[in-house]
């Protein structure tokens, strides 16, 4: 399960970094609060994954000092677009963990996938992107 | 009846271990554990269609949700190995056609999918997990 966990960890690290950039471009109180809450949840998932890697005595690679964003974030619109992109990506990174885990660990992985999918819906609504949902969150499109 | 039973016994005796099941009555195959999820998906899709037809103002909201459920049913049927409509029962709760009713129905459906994801095989966990997550996003989309 180490490979799947390491991939999810990389996605969570990237999400934490991205929300730092996203938050700066948002000003509406509700949107800033949403971004802060999301970042906090991604930190908690990251810590859980680090714990799992430690249990399996695999050492995670050092977090890269900087991340390459998929596109430039210049304003609210691109910040929302990045938030959607990030949550879809995190959901995709957790899906393989489901098949690599059982019981409580699988439940945690499913909760992480689901939370990202639900946040992606909220960001799509704020960005007025339709459709709000997709049939298979976590499956690469 | 008597001769049938005797023939069954004779066959079993001749075959030694009844490997071919000649003497056994036809047993229906056990339903796949994911069949209830497929039935539920079709029932929800049909309920959204009915609600959208009754109130066209809801169609833009409900049509994509119905489409998601149909994709789930098709994918589950492929995994189960039966046609989607073969055993669809209308027994799954689908609410009363209101937004609150659909939210409640999706919540029940999500809980069922979460349980199924926990119980299923390594190979099926990803698919069932995505279906559970999708049902959760439907609750959010109905807010």
């Amino acid at each position: 399960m180490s490979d799947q966990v390491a991939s999810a960890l990389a996605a969570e690290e990237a999400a934490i970094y991205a929300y730092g950039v996203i938050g700066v471009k948002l000003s509406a109180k509700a949107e800033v609060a949403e971004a802060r809450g999301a970042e906090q949840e991604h930190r908690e998932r990251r810590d859980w994954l680090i714990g799992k890697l430690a249990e399996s005595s695999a050492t995670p690679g050092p977090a890269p000092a900087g991340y390459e964003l998929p596109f430039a974030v210049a304003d609210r619109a691109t910040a929302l677009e990045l938030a959607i992109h990030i949550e879809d990506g995190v959901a995709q990174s957790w899906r393989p963990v489901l098949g690599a885990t059982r019981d409580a660990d699988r439940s945690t992985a499913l909760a992480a996938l689901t939370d990202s999918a639900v946040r992606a819906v909220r960001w799509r609504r704020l960005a007025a992107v339709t459709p709000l949902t997709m049939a298979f969150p976590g499956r690469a499109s | 009846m008597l001769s049938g039973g005797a023939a069954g016994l004779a066959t079993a005796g001749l075959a030694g271990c009844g490997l071919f099941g000649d003497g056994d009555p036809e047993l229906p195959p056990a339903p796949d554990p994911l069949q209830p999820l497929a039935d539920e998906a079709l029932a929800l899709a049909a309920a959204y269609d009915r609600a959208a037809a009754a109130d066209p103002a809801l169609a833009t909201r409900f049509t994509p949700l119905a489409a998601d459920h149909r994709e789930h049913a098709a994918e589950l049927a492929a995994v189960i190995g039966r046609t989607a409509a073969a055993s669809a029962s209308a027994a799954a709760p689908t609410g009363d056609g209101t937004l609150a009713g659909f939210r409640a129905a999706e919540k029940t459906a999500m809980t069922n999918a979460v349980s199924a994801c926990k119980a299923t095989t390594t190979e099926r966990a990803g698919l069932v997990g995505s279906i559970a997550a999708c049902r959760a996003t439907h609750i959010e989309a109905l807010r």
Side-chain angles (χ1 to χ4, degrees), chain B:
Chain B
M1 166 145 183
L2 230 179
S3 65
L9 277 175
T11 310
L14 277 175
C17 56
L19 247 189
F20 302 101
D22 290 346
D24 295 336
E26 276 286 312
L27 285 174
D32 190 283
L34 296 185
Q35 189 62 48
L37 284 196
D39 294 346
E40 201 169 37
L42 286 180
L44 278 165
Y48 279 120
D49 286 350
R50 281 195 302 273
D55 184 355
L58 292 170
T60 46
R61 213 161 173 189
F62 286 175
T63 304
L65 305 182
D68 286 346
H69 285 298
R70 288 212 164 80
E71 284 196 51
H72 296 168
E75 199 81 9
L76 287 166
V79 167
I80 293 168
R82 278 177 229 174
T83 55
S87 56
S89 69
T94 55
D96 53 7
T98 64
L99 277 180
F102 276 118
R103 274 199 298 272
E106 292 279 7
K107 188 146 192 285
T108 302
M110 180 198 72
T111 306
N112 292 339
V114 168
S115 302
C117 181
K118 269 186 96 166
T120 198
T121 61
T122 293
E123 293 74 24
R124 291 174 163 196
L127 171 64
V128 181
S130 281
I131 291 171
C134 178
R135 289 173 174 184
T137 64
H138 283 188
I139 301 168
E140 181 65 32
L142 290 169
R143 278 182 213 285

Side-chain angles (χ1 to χ4, degrees), chain A residues 2-74:
Chain A
S2 292
D3 287 352
Q4 292 88 348
V5 168
S7 296
L9 177 58
E12 293 289 8
E13 297 275 13
I16 293 163
Y17 174 80
Y19 271 109
V21 178
I22 291 163
V24 176
K25 299 296 179 187
L26 301 177
S27 52
K29 220 174 169 184
E31 293 177 4
V32 173
E34 179 73 28
R36 284 215 185 110
E39 185 181 337
Q40 186 53 40
E41 283 200 43
H42 286 299
R43 286 184 188 281
E44 285 162 19
R45 300 296 185 200
R46 176 199 59 185
D47 293 346
W48 185 87
L49 289 162
I50 289 173
K52 282 293 143 192
L53 278 182
E55 275 176 31
S56 65
S57 66
T59 42
Y67 291 89
E68 194 115 358
L69 294 177
F71 46 84
V73 175

